[in-house]
Amino acid sequence: MAGNSFGKIFRLSTFGESHGAAIGGVLEGCPAGLLINEQAIQAELTRRKPGQSKITTQRKEADQVQFLSGIFEGTTQGTPIGFIIPNTNARSQDYSHIKDQFRPSHADYTYAEKYGHRDYRGGGRSSARETASRVVAGAIAKQLLKNISIQAYVSSVGNLTLDAPYQDLDLTKTEDSIVRCPDAATADKMIALIDSVRKLGDTIGGVITCVIKGVPVGWGEPVFDKLHADLAKAMMSINAVKGFEYGSGFSGTKMLGSMHNDPFLPNGKTASNFSGGIQGGISNGEDIYFNVAFKPVATIMQDQPSINEQGEAITVKGKGRHDPCVLPRAVPIVEAMAALVLADHYLQSKLSRI
Amino acid sequence: MAGNSFGKIFRLSTFGESHGAAIGGVLEGCPAGLLINEQAIQAELTRRKPGQSKITTQRKEADQVQFLSGIFEGTTQGTPIGFIIPNTNARSQDYSHIKDQFRPSHADYTYAEKYGHRDYRGGGRSSARETASRVVAGAIAKQLLKNISIQAYVSSVGNLTLDAPYQDLDLTKTEDSIVRCPDAATADKMIALIDSVRKLGDTIGGVITCVIKGVPVGWGEPVFDKLHADLAKAMMSINAVKGFEYGSGFSGTKMLGSMHNDPFLPNGKTASNFSGGIQGGISNGEDIYFNVAFKPVATIMQDQPSINEQGEAITVKGKGRHDPCVLPRAVPIVEAMAALVLADHYLQSKLSRI
Amino acid sequence: MAGNSFGKIFRLSTFGESHGAAIGGVLEGCPAGLLINEQAIQAELTRRKPGQSKITTQRKEADQVQFLSGIFEGTTQGTPIGFIIPNTNARSQDYSHIKDQFRPSHADYTYAEKYGHRDYRGGGRSSARETASRVVAGAIAKQLLKNISIQAYVSSVGNLTLDAPYQDLDLTKTEDSIVRCPDAATADKMIALIDSVRKLGDTIGGVITCVIKGVPVGWGEPVFDKLHADLAKAMMSINAVKGFEYGSGFSGTKMLGSMHNDPFLPNGKTASNFSGGIQGGISNGEDIYFNVAFKPVATIMQDQPSINEQGEAITVKGKGRHDPCVLPRAVPIVEAMAALVLADHYLQSKLSRI
Amino acid sequence: MAGNSFGKIFRLSTFGESHGAAIGGVLEGCPAGLLINEQAIQAELTRRKPGQSKITTQRKEADQVQFLSGIFEGTTQGTPIGFIIPNTNARSQDYSHIKDQFRPSHADYTYAEKYGHRDYRGGGRSSARETASRVVAGAIAKQLLKNISIQAYVSSVGNLTLDAPYQDLDLTKTEDSIVRCPDAATADKMIALIDSVRKLGDTIGGVITCVIKGVPVGWGEPVFDKLHADLAKAMMSINAVKGFEYGSGFSGTKMLGSMHNDPFLPNGKTASNFSGGIQGGISNGEDIYFNVAFKPVATIMQDQPSINEQGEAITVKGKGRHDPCVLPRAVPIVEAMAALVLADHYLQSKLSRI
């Protein structure tokens, strides 16, 4: 299996299955001399961890990261940062009933066909548990990106949409609600909606918006590795993501060029920002903002018709613990992946001129 | 400048500025023994070339590809395929008036800031002319992917949307209209809309839908290199693209899991296909389909206020030749990038099992 | 720090410092379906571990590998294989006296200058302890390379050279002597020499020869990634290595082409094998053989004049435990690195033809 | 075919067969703002080109490089530098007689087996003609490495060895002799030897020594991408190379550690330099020096028994034009590859600290 590494210079490789001994990662390319705040890293992990509120899965995981290398006397050494997160709540027996079943819209079938074998316990490698490793590395990236803020929030759940543009929101309030929507009134509605879906044993999707401030002009490698192309790949690699748009996005397709073009001001800033902070694949100093679409997760607490490995019709039972809506826990993952992309492009940007 | 290469195994590196001597590329990793149909490659280039109809730029380029290596006696040798496309209509003097100007929503400003220097002639490296090299490599990829069809078409221009799902369309008719929309009535409306925009010296955006049939189960490398993540990056790397969604996409965010899950049929097929042919990052044998959002291109034939390299207010004149809507010419580019992604994952898929 | 990963498809990333919590690695790209013999892996580690005989360092390390992922029910899953080897004998206080000292011909000075910081305990990342992770991954590679034998042995220590060509040796006897030389008489002399050097508190270098049998025709990617170029890099990346030669090597430079050319026999075999089993960078089916030169290791038990971080003259004390000659313990490392190169090229070779 | 690219940041991809339309390359990652001296590049190519003296092949090639992109107004743009070298003397008919023959110790057999197909004309992709592209890129690398000198010379031909250490030689005299040995008396002997070998229709090998001065402390990425490991791979990837050693090399294996260790002086310099300017894989500021072993090239002007593609015994005729000794023409190739490695590590070194 290729595809377990992300980034060119600031490069994360992850490993681990949902119900193995541990998950973890190796982060290469972090420059030496960075003071590491381990508490801040753990705080990001805690934002992602299960069981944090009534609208997330009730599974409990300590999700404590252990650093094995690369940090000495609190400072990065320039050497690879190895870390693990032990799997403490691996109730594998919960999964014996689905050992030879293909759950609809999960990766069970495709893994079985691709690899022959598969670790059926909790989705194995395909579980979103893998993203905890991304959050660890992303938290280190955030510490490298000192003057940059990366703020994601839930902007829609199902048909409930927060219509205000991000500029009108107080993004410091995102963490005030368990759904991670900065607008209190909308947050309450979202929570009620998710709760009602949960009671049905069902799940629901939504959109996360991410806003990045403070990126200087010049990050992004044109042609294939455009900054937004790497952000897109980063976001699309998160479990359950179905779409990505930045700046004017899909709605920009309905505009005329004369409206869409962002006029320059004498200081090099632009009067509007339909470009979303990126022009020609390179940051232009304006805010970068984008939307990420999440489908309703496939694990539902309802019985579903399906097939087993022998191709026979079966019923997949809905039981156990699940997230009725992954959006709240996905907010730190979106931020982490954005941070990984930016850290990588920050380092690459140092090489553009003699 | 990193970022001029795409793919891990089937890997294209491109070079060339819009008004230099030539653009071109090197395609590595194409297996030996593939019979090459050069006419089919040239036909793809011709679908992309300027001046092909009244709704594209009137600039004329021969866009003749010359192969320099890698093909001997009509067959790939396993060695890198080097090719060039000479720039025959490089009217560089057309650009002397914008030598020190920053055109709004182009890459002029970001290139100047990032690299210090820039080739101002026709956008230099940031020009969409670079995509001709992608079309060449994509055409080779299509020949490698014998039993797979990749069909893109224009599904919206501005507010004009072809509402029918792709299953209800006859995609063989896409090439029948100059706008590359398979529905004749909608195509006519699109052409009229683009023509009216052209007369205003303006531009307009739209959406291209792409449908891929025949991909077997098992392509895609989970975690970071999910098949749809690589498709997203590929599409987002095309000039003027602002968004990507596959399967249920953004509209899937409004669904419940119980509706969104695709039930398995006894043959391993699924009764619905909200997954868009990819589950857990791996193809599941169903059709792969996705949408790509294009903004209205930045080159308009209207005067615009802007700044020059000295930061002074100026007027950028609208003159010369331009595409009022890039969608028709972008159809073969979308297909080419999809083909590059699939060829790369096809080869990677050979390594998943002992 | 880049440079912690090796291989393109079958790719190992390692992490860990000599006196941190653990060292370890992530092995990507191992195909699914390989039955893993963990005892065989541990046996390779044991061949490398310290304290194994009177002519190696007397430091004791358990060197027990723990697999965290990628193997389920004894079989590779196609997912990354994460593993750690805890550092159990990290007597860091042994190193406090050299905290700000630069030991001659170690990496202390260059690490300090490059990274600012350094983990001075036992050489930190620059310690040959890192190679234990390579041995783990190499042992997996050996299991993937079912019909290939990779046999290294000590062919010289100082001026003591085993003059017989490998064809005249019984390589199954290599493990019979603690110095890992298959000729018993020479082995005894080598042991005596190393022991005398040890008593002087000094160290001595030597040469390891490696013989690989069973590689089919066609492995190796010509031009830059020639099979022998990758073997050279692999070997040169091992601590203390100063030289590499394959086939006729340096002595081949004294030959005439008419003598050096290997005549083909009707079955495609060659009558001689000065080519060393590789022609044009691709294996030709003959035995691959090469020599690796190891310098005397820098840690000696003698006082040496040097400088400290302030640039002041000091004396570096010779104390503690050390290897008087690394050759015996390097034999499994050479084999492991050869196995990694071959496994990677084996997988790449599957992609050379349609 | 993978393996046509070299370098991580400063990255060259080459293409082209010996008798195709052209060979060439794409150089990515060269920073913007470098003034390019095209005459200096052409001068390096001329050092490598055939027909330059009586002891090289009499084949004539113009070997004129044409730059297609990446340089504008004499300065690098940060965009990829594409270039071609047309093949002007492609007398392919010279090769029709060996169309189905396997020349001993060439790549004919291994290419045929690996790829099925092969371009038999002049060795196709396996020809050393490919190295002309490396010389172009290496010449650009030299211009990037402003304060670094890279000087290679022929230090032995057959049994004729220049015994003086490089410090005792005037390396500015290397170009004074057609054999590129800086000692006039030895050069004359070498020329006479090569000439006598040529008259026999035979070939002879030798050693090139390379000395690099001016590399600052801190280049090289430890563990796998040690500076000397990358130099080794670079050199071993050159056609006909059989061995590499740096610093004390193979002779260092006979030394004791107490003699081999390089004592530090108070300024951080070392009193001796058995380390060869690299410690722990990182440059230490001392001279870097290494030897490269070249076998006698396989093309001889004598009849040789061999086989054809059908496995039948045949005689390969010795006719045409050939190099009796590749060493003189290989000197600029060794320098070019060294420059590529250093340029890449120079750029990487910028990223080691925050």
Side-chain angles (χ1 to χ4, degrees):
Chain A
M1 183 198 267
N4 297 287
S5 299
F6 189 82
K8 291 199 165 177
I9 305 287
F10 194 88
R11 182 172 176 87
L12 172 67
S13 298
T14 73
F15 63 86
E17 283 84 43
S18 177
H19 288 67
I23 61 168
V26 181
L27 180 60
E28 282 189 89
C30 187
L34 180 67
L35 274 169
I36 292 294
N37 180 340
E38 290 200 19
Q39 282 180 305
I41 297 170
Q42 187 59 49
E44 293 288 342
L45 261 185
T46 300
R47 290 174 77 203
R48 197 212 74 99
K49 88 172 179 180
Q52 62 184 264
S53 79
K54 67 175 181 178
I55 58 170
T56 67
T57 173
Q58 295 310 301
R59 183 159 52 91
K60 298 288 183 191
E61 280 281 359
D63 276 1
Q64 285 284 342
V65 62
Q66 298 172 14
F67 289 100
L68 302 178
S69 68
I71 302 169
F72 180 58
E73 297 175 345
T75 306
T76 58
Q77 299 295 297
T79 58
I81 300 171
F83 61 88
I84 59 172
I85 305 168
N87 291 326
T88 57
N89 191 2
R91 298 196 342 212
S92 307
Q93 66 281 17
D94 280 9
Y95 294 93
S96 56
H97 68 294
I98 57 161
K99 181 174 179 172
D100 71 344
Q101 300 186 350
F102 296 139
R103 293 169 297 166
S105 291
H106 273 87
D108 300 342
Y109 174 70
T110 53
Y111 267 65
E113 292 288 312
K114 183 178 183 78
Y115 300 112
H117 262 248
R118 75 189 163 98
D119 180 347
Y120 54 83
R121 301 167 305 167
R125 182 71 179 149
S126 72
S127 166
R129 181 153 181 72
E130 180 271 341
T131 59
S133 299
R134 306 183 186 201
V135 169
V136 171
I140 296 172
K142 281 185 176 181
Q143 297 184 26
L144 180 64
L145 300 164
K146 284 189 209 309
N147 300 310
I148 290 172
S149 74
I150 303 172
Q151 293 171 294
Y153 61 93
V154 174
S155 55
S156 83
V157 173
N159 283 304
L160 268 176
T161 298
L162 178 57
D163 277 324
Y166 75 85
Q167 295 90 338
D168 295 349
L169 301 172
D170 179 355
L171 299 184
T172 65
K173 295 193 172 164
T174 299
E175 294 297 308
D176 291 353
S177 85
I178 58 175
V179 76
R180 294 200 167 89
C181 172
D183 181 76
T186 308
D188 287 347
K189 286 183 214 161
M190 288 173 171
I191 293 166
L193 174 57
I194 294 170
D195 211 38
S196 69
V197 166
R198 182 184 63 76
K199 286 172 183 156
L200 296 170
D202 217 327
T203 58
I204 193 162
V207 175
I208 288 177
T209 298
C210 185
V211 182
I212 305 168
K213 294 171 185 283
V215 175
V217 188
W219 295 11
E221 300 299 319
V223 184
F224 295 110
D225 294 349
K226 291 181 167 87
L227 185 55
H228 56 266
D230 278 354
L231 285 168
K233 174 161 177 171
M235 299 305 146
M236 298 300 295
S237 77
I238 300 172
N239 307 50
V241 172
K242 303 297 285 188
F244 173 88
E245 59 179 359
Y246 82 106
S248 62
F250 277 88
S251 68
T253 66
K254 302 185 191 307
M255 294 172 71
L256 294 177
S258 55
M259 300 160 50
H260 193 277
N261 283 354
D262 296 317
F264 281 108
L265 304 176
N267 57 2
K269 306 293 286 180
T270 59
S272 58
N273 184 19
F274 293 112
S275 295
I278 303 169
Q279 291 179 331
I282 304 169
S283 60
N284 69 350
E286 305 294 320
D287 292 351
I288 295 170
Y289 60 99
F290 56 83
N291 293 324
V292 187
F294 287 80
K295 70 168 185 175
V297 280
T299 304
I300 61 177
M301 294 299 101
Q302 299 177 2
D303 289 358
Q304 299 177 87
S306 191
I307 60 172
N308 62 15
E309 293 192 355
Q310 290 71 45
E312 301 160 338
I314 56 155
T315 297
V316 171
K317 294 284 181 190
K319 67 175 191 181
R321 305 161 297 183
H322 85 305
D323 278 292
C325 177
V326 292
L327 279 284
R329 292 179 58 206
V331 165
I333 304 169
V334 165
E335 291 179 6
M337 290 308 297
L340 289 178
V341 170
L342 290 173
D344 197 33
H345 278 285
Y346 157 56
L347 293 174
Q348 289 186 59
S349 77
K350 293 190 173 189
L351 306 175
S352 55
R353 296 197 200 188
I354 56 168
Chain B
M1 183 199 265
N4 297 287
S5 298
F6 188 82
K8 292 201 164 175
I9 304 287
F10 194 88
R11 182 172 176 86
L12 171 67
S13 299
T14 72
F15 62 88
E17 283 83 44
S18 176
H19 287 67
I23 61 169
V26 181
L27 179 61
E28 282 189 88
C30 187
L34 179 67
L35 275 169
I36 292 295
N37 179 341
E38 290 200 22
Q39 281 180 306
I41 298 169
Q42 187 59 48
E44 293 289 341
L45 260 185
T46 300
R47 289 174 77 202
R48 197 212 73 99
K49 88 172 177 179
Q52 63 185 261
S53 78
K54 66 175 181 178
I55 57 169
T56 67
T57 174
Q58 295 309 302
R59 185 159 51 90
K60 298 288 183 192
E61 280 280 1
D63 276 2
Q64 284 284 343
V65 62
Q66 299 171 12
F67 289 101
L68 302 178
S69 69
I71 303 169
F72 180 59
E73 298 176 343
T75 305
T76 59
Q77 298 295 298
T79 58
I81 300 171
F83 60 88
I84 59 171
I85 305 169
N87 290 326
T88 57
N89 190 2
R91 297 198 340 213
S92 307
Q93 67 279 17
D94 279 10
Y95 294 93
S96 55
H97 69 293
I98 56 160
K99 181 173 179 172
D100 69 345
Q101 300 187 350
F102 295 139
R103 293 168 298 166
S105 291
H106 272 89
D108 300 342
Y109 173 71
T110 52
Y111 268 64
E113 292 289 311
K114 184 178 182 78
Y115 300 112
H117 261 250
R118 75 188 162 98
D119 180 348
Y120 54 82
R121 301 166 305 167
R125 181 70 179 151
S126 72
S127 165
R129 180 152 182 73
E130 180 271 340
T131 59
S133 299
R134 306 183 186 200
V135 170
V136 171
I140 295 172
K142 281 185 176 181
Q143 296 184 26
L144 180 65
L145 300 164
K146 284 189 210 309
N147 300 310
I148 291 171
S149 74
I150 303 172
Q151 293 172 293
Y153 61 92
V154 174
S155 56
S156 84
V157 174
N159 283 302
L160 269 176
T161 298
L162 178 58
D163 277 326
Y166 75 85
Q167 295 89 338
D168 296 350
L169 301 172
D170 180 355
L171 299 184
T172 65
K173 295 194 172 165
T174 299
E175 294 297 308
D176 291 354
S177 85
I178 57 175
V179 76
R180 294 200 166 89
C181 172
D183 181 76
T186 310
D188 288 345
K189 288 183 212 162
M190 288 173 171
I191 293 166
L193 174 57
I194 294 170
D195 211 36
S196 69
V197 166
R198 182 182 63 77
K199 286 172 184 156
L200 296 169
D202 217 328
T203 58
I204 194 160
V207 175
I208 288 176
T209 298
C210 185
V211 182
I212 305 169
K213 294 171 185 284
V215 175
V217 189
W219 295 10
E221 300 299 318
V223 186
F224 295 111
D225 295 349
K226 291 181 166 87
L227 186 55
H228 56 266
D230 277 354
L231 285 168
K233 174 161 176 172
M235 299 305 145
M236 298 300 294
S237 78
I238 300 172
N239 307 51
V241 172
K242 304 296 286 186
F244 173 88
E245 60 179 359
Y246 82 106
S248 63
F250 276 88
S251 68
T253 67
K254 303 185 191 308
M255 296 170 71
L256 294 175
S258 56
M259 299 159 51
H260 193 278
N261 282 353
D262 296 315
F264 280 108
L265 304 176
N267 56 2
K269 305 294 286 179
T270 59
S272 58
N273 185 18
F274 293 111
S275 296
I278 303 171
Q279 290 178 332
I282 304 169
S283 60
N284 69 349
E286 303 295 319
D287 291 351
I288 295 170
Y289 61 98
F290 56 82
N291 293 323
V292 187
F294 288 79
K295 70 168 185 176
V297 280
T299 304
I300 60 176
M301 295 300 101
Q302 300 177 3
D303 289 358
Q304 298 178 88
S306 190
I307 58 171
N308 62 16
E309 293 193 354
Q310 290 72 45
E312 301 161 338
I314 55 152
T315 297
V316 170
K317 295 283 181 190
K319 68 175 190 182
R321 303 161 298 184
H322 85 305
D323 278 293
C325 179
V326 293
L327 278 285
R329 292 179 57 204
V331 165
I333 304 170
V334 165
E335 291 180 7
M337 290 307 298
L340 289 178
V341 170
L342 290 172
D344 197 34
H345 278 285
Y346 157 56
L347 293 175
Q348 290 186 61
S349 77
K350 292 190 174 189
L351 306 175
S352 56
R353 296 195 198 187
I354 56 168
Chain C
M1 183 199 267
N4 299 286
S5 299
F6 188 82
K8 291 200 164 175
I9 304 287
F10 194 89
R11 181 172 176 87
L12 171 68
S13 299
T14 73
F15 63 87
E17 283 82 44
S18 177
H19 286 67
I23 62 168
V26 181
L27 180 61
E28 283 189 89
C30 187
L34 180 67
L35 274 169
I36 292 294
N37 180 341
E38 290 200 22
Q39 282 181 305
I41 298 169
Q42 187 59 50
E44 293 288 341
L45 261 184
T46 300
R47 290 174 78 203
R48 196 213 74 98
K49 89 172 178 180
Q52 64 184 262
S53 78
K54 65 176 181 177
I55 57 170
T56 68
T57 173
Q58 294 310 300
R59 184 159 51 90
K60 297 289 182 191
E61 280 280 0
D63 276 2
Q64 284 284 341
V65 63
Q66 298 171 14
F67 290 100
L68 302 177
S69 68
I71 302 169
F72 180 59
E73 298 176 343
T75 306
T76 59
Q77 297 296 297
T79 59
I81 300 171
F83 60 88
I84 58 171
I85 305 168
N87 291 325
T88 57
N89 190 2
R91 297 195 343 210
S92 308
Q93 67 280 16
D94 280 9
Y95 294 93
S96 56
H97 68 294
I98 57 159
K99 181 175 180 171
D100 69 346
Q101 300 186 350
F102 295 139
R103 293 168 297 164
S105 291
H106 272 87
D108 299 342
Y109 173 71
T110 52
Y111 267 64
E113 292 288 312
K114 183 178 182 77
Y115 299 112
H117 261 248
R118 73 190 164 97
D119 181 347
Y120 53 82
R121 301 167 303 167
R125 181 71 178 150
S126 73
S127 166
R129 179 150 182 73
E130 180 271 340
T131 58
S133 299
R134 306 182 185 202
V135 169
V136 171
I140 296 172
K142 281 186 176 180
Q143 297 184 26
L144 180 65
L145 301 164
K146 284 190 210 307
N147 300 311
I148 291 171
S149 75
I150 302 172
Q151 292 172 294
Y153 61 92
V154 174
S155 55
S156 81
V157 174
N159 283 303
L160 269 176
T161 298
L162 178 58
D163 277 325
Y166 75 86
Q167 295 90 337
D168 296 349
L169 301 172
D170 179 356
L171 298 184
T172 65
K173 295 195 172 163
T174 299
E175 294 297 308
D176 292 353
S177 85
I178 58 175
V179 76
R180 295 201 165 88
C181 172
D183 181 78
T186 309
D188 288 346
K189 288 183 211 160
M190 288 174 171
I191 293 166
L193 173 58
I194 294 170
D195 211 37
S196 70
V197 166
R198 183 183 63 77
K199 286 173 183 156
L200 297 169
D202 216 327
T203 58
I204 194 161
V207 176
I208 288 176
T209 298
C210 185
V211 182
I212 305 169
K213 295 171 184 282
V215 175
V217 188
W219 294 11
E221 300 298 319
V223 185
F224 295 111
D225 295 349
K226 292 181 166 86
L227 186 54
H228 56 265
D230 277 355
L231 285 168
K233 174 162 176 171
M235 298 306 145
M236 298 300 294
S237 77
I238 300 173
N239 306 50
V241 172
K242 303 296 285 187
F244 173 89
E245 61 179 358
Y246 82 106
S248 62
F250 276 89
S251 68
T253 66
K254 302 184 192 308
M255 294 171 71
L256 295 176
S258 55
M259 299 159 50
H260 192 278
N261 283 354
D262 296 317
F264 281 108
L265 304 176
N267 56 2
K269 306 293 286 180
T270 58
S272 58
N273 184 18
F274 292 111
S275 297
I278 303 171
Q279 290 179 331
I282 304 169
S283 61
N284 70 349
E286 304 295 318
D287 291 352
I288 295 171
Y289 61 98
F290 56 84
N291 292 324
V292 186
F294 288 78
K295 70 168 186 175
V297 280
T299 303
I300 61 176
M301 294 300 101
Q302 301 177 2
D303 289 359
Q304 299 177 87
S306 189
I307 59 172
N308 63 15
E309 293 193 354
Q310 290 72 45
E312 301 161 338
I314 56 154
T315 296
V316 171
K317 295 282 181 190
K319 68 176 190 180
R321 304 161 297 183
H322 85 305
D323 278 292
C325 178
V326 292
L327 278 286
R329 293 178 58 206
V331 165
I333 304 170
V334 164
E335 290 180 7
M337 290 307 297
L340 289 178
V341 170
L342 290 173
D344 197 33
H345 278 284
Y346 157 56
L347 294 175
Q348 289 187 60
S349 77
K350 292 190 173 190
L351 306 175
S352 55
R353 297 194 198 190
I354 57 168
Chain D
M1 184 198 265
N4 298 286
S5 299
F6 188 82
K8 290 199 165 177
I9 305 287
F10 194 89
R11 182 172 175 87
L12 172 67
S13 299
T14 71
F15 62 87
E17 283 82 45
S18 176
H19 287 67
I23 61 169
V26 181
L27 180 61
E28 283 190 90
C30 186
L34 179 68
L35 274 169
I36 292 293
N37 180 341
E38 291 200 19
Q39 281 180 307
I41 298 169
Q42 187 59 49
E44 293 289 342
L45 261 185
T46 300
R47 289 174 78 203
R48 197 213 74 99
K49 88 173 178 179
Q52 63 184 262
S53 77
K54 66 176 181 177
I55 58 170
T56 68
T57 172
Q58 295 309 302
R59 183 159 51 90
K60 297 289 182 190
E61 279 281 0
D63 276 1
Q64 284 285 340
V65 62
Q66 299 171 13
F67 289 100
L68 301 178
S69 69
I71 302 170
F72 180 58
E73 297 175 345
T75 306
T76 58
Q77 298 295 296
T79 57
I81 300 171
F83 61 88
I84 58 171
I85 304 169
N87 291 325
T88 56
N89 190 2
R91 299 197 340 213
S92 307
Q93 67 279 18
D94 280 10
Y95 295 92
S96 55
H97 68 293
I98 56 160
K99 182 174 179 172
D100 71 345
Q101 300 187 350
F102 295 139
R103 292 169 298 165
S105 290
H106 273 87
D108 299 342
Y109 174 71
T110 52
Y111 267 63
E113 292 289 311
K114 184 178 182 75
Y115 298 112
H117 263 248
R118 75 189 163 98
D119 181 348
Y120 54 83
R121 301 167 305 168
R125 182 69 178 151
S126 73
S127 165
R129 178 149 183 75
E130 181 270 341
T131 59
S133 298
R134 307 183 185 201
V135 169
V136 171
I140 295 172
K142 282 185 175 181
Q143 297 184 26
L144 180 64
L145 300 164
K146 283 189 210 308
N147 300 310
I148 291 172
S149 74
I150 303 172
Q151 292 171 293
Y153 61 92
V154 174
S155 55
S156 82
V157 174
N159 283 304
L160 269 176
T161 298
L162 178 59
D163 276 325
Y166 75 86
Q167 295 90 337
D168 296 349
L169 302 172
D170 179 356
L171 299 184
T172 65
K173 295 194 172 163
T174 299
E175 294 297 308
D176 291 353
S177 84
I178 57 176
V179 76
R180 295 201 166 88
C181 172
D183 181 78
T186 309
D188 287 345
K189 287 184 213 161
M190 288 173 170
I191 293 167
L193 173 58
I194 294 170
D195 211 38
S196 69
V197 166
R198 183 183 63 76
K199 286 173 183 155
L200 297 170
D202 216 327
T203 58
I204 193 160
V207 175
I208 287 177
T209 298
C210 185
V211 182
I212 305 169
K213 294 171 184 282
V215 176
V217 188
W219 294 11
E221 300 298 317
V223 185
F224 295 111
D225 295 349
K226 291 181 167 85
L227 186 55
H228 56 266
D230 278 353
L231 285 169
K233 175 162 175 170
M235 298 306 144
M236 298 300 295
S237 77
I238 300 172
N239 306 51
V241 172
K242 302 298 286 187
F244 172 88
E245 60 180 357
Y246 82 106
S248 62
F250 277 87
S251 68
T253 67
K254 303 185 190 307
M255 294 171 71
L256 295 176
S258 56
M259 299 160 50
H260 192 277
N261 282 354
D262 296 316
F264 280 108
L265 304 175
N267 56 1
K269 306 293 286 180
T270 58
S272 58
N273 185 18
F274 293 111
S275 296
I278 303 171
Q279 290 179 331
I282 304 171
S283 60
N284 69 350
E286 303 296 318
D287 291 351
I288 295 170
Y289 60 98
F290 56 83
N291 292 323
V292 187
F294 287 78
K295 70 169 185 175
V297 280
T299 304
I300 60 177
M301 293 300 101
Q302 301 177 3
D303 289 359
Q304 297 178 87
S306 190
I307 58 172
N308 62 15
E309 294 192 354
Q310 289 72 44
E312 300 159 340
I314 55 154
T315 296
V316 170
K317 294 282 179 189
K319 68 176 189 179
R321 302 161 299 183
H322 85 304
D323 277 293
C325 178
V326 292
L327 278 286
R329 292 179 58 205
V331 165
I333 304 169
V334 165
E335 291 180 6
M337 291 307 298
L340 289 177
V341 170
L342 290 172
D344 197 33
H345 277 285
Y346 157 56
L347 294 174
Q348 289 186 61
S349 77
K350 292 189 172 190
L351 305 175
S352 55
R353 297 195 197 188
I354 57 168

